[in-house]
Amino acid sequence: MKRWKLLLATTALFVGMTASAQTKWKLDKSHSSVRFSVTHMVVSEAEGTFKMWDGTVEHSKPDFSDAKISFTVDVNSINTDNERRDGHLKSDDFFNAEKFPTMKFESTSMQSVGGNKYKLNGNLTIRDITKPVSFDVTYGGILAGSRGRKAGFKATTTINRFDYNLKWDRATETGGLVVGKDVEVTVKVELDEVK
């Protein structure tokens, strides 16, 4: 009887440890991207990317619902296919990349909203301002291959650039902003499991 109790206790401990074991992921940068778009002259959109960024994901639940996500972006790597515009975006009118070279995101929760959809909440820091933000996330799934496991996600949100002191706001002749206040952000990531 004591042997059975000991065996059951050992099994329960092992199952508990396995269930709470952290799975860690790193970004596959060659298959990931950070993009943004904003209205320009009221009638069109300007788009850009950041070329240098990094991030990690850790979770213990198989559905990623307890994921802890950390993400950083090198502001100096901004690229809109226009050097003059990139220089302006790096200036104090926008990011002030010299003084604030990094944007950061730290998650606070990842909530399943049904199927492969999630709501990712966290704190976004741009310049010296940190504000809460929510991303709509689509989970692409996990693929196990000869090189290990991969997972994929797409996350989108819209932020008001004035909330982060990206303050340039010259008006057009019709009264609209040359550069809109709302910026759409799309992050597509492919993750490699860390062994």
Side-chain angles (χ1 to χ4, degrees), residues 104-121:
K104 298 177 185 175
F105 174 79
E106 292 286 340
S107 69
T108 54
S109 68
M110 178 105 157
Q111 303 163 334
S112 174
V113 293
N116 66 338
K117 304 293 184 183
Y118 291 82
K119 183 69 75 174
L120 172 62
N121 302 302

Side-chain angles (χ1 to χ4, degrees), residues 24-99:
K24 297 181 181 182
W25 305 81
K26 64 180 180 179
L27 284 175
D28 177 346
K29 295 179 185 177
S30 63
H31 296 101
S32 302
S33 63
V34 178
R35 300 185 170 277
F36 64 90
S37 64
V38 62
T39 58
H40 180 252
M41 300 299 287
V42 184
V43 296
S44 64
E45 289 190 12
E47 297 180 323
T49 63
F50 291 93
K51 297 296 185 183
M52 296 176 63
W53 29 263
D54 205 357
T56 58
V57 177
E58 295 184 16
H59 66 102
S60 58
K61 294 182 179 178
D63 67 353
F64 285 85
S65 61
D66 66 341
K68 299 292 182 197
I69 298 163
S70 178
F71 205 84
T72 59
V73 175
D74 181 345
V75 174
N76 282 295
S77 72
I78 197 166
N79 182 358
T80 64
D81 290 327
N82 182 308
E83 286 185 23
R84 185 174 172 209
R85 179 170 54 207
D86 293 347
H88 189 202
L89 289 169
K90 293 176 192 179
S91 77
D92 193 41
D93 282 344
F94 291 95
F95 290 102
N96 193 344
E98 184 176 346
K99 188 173 182 183

Side-chain angles (χ1 to χ4, degrees), residues 124-141:
L124 176 64
T125 301
I126 300 176
R127 295 177 64 112
D128 57 345
I129 297 171
T130 301
K131 289 191 170 288
V133 65
S134 292
F135 284 85
D136 295 316
V137 176
T138 301
Y139 172 39

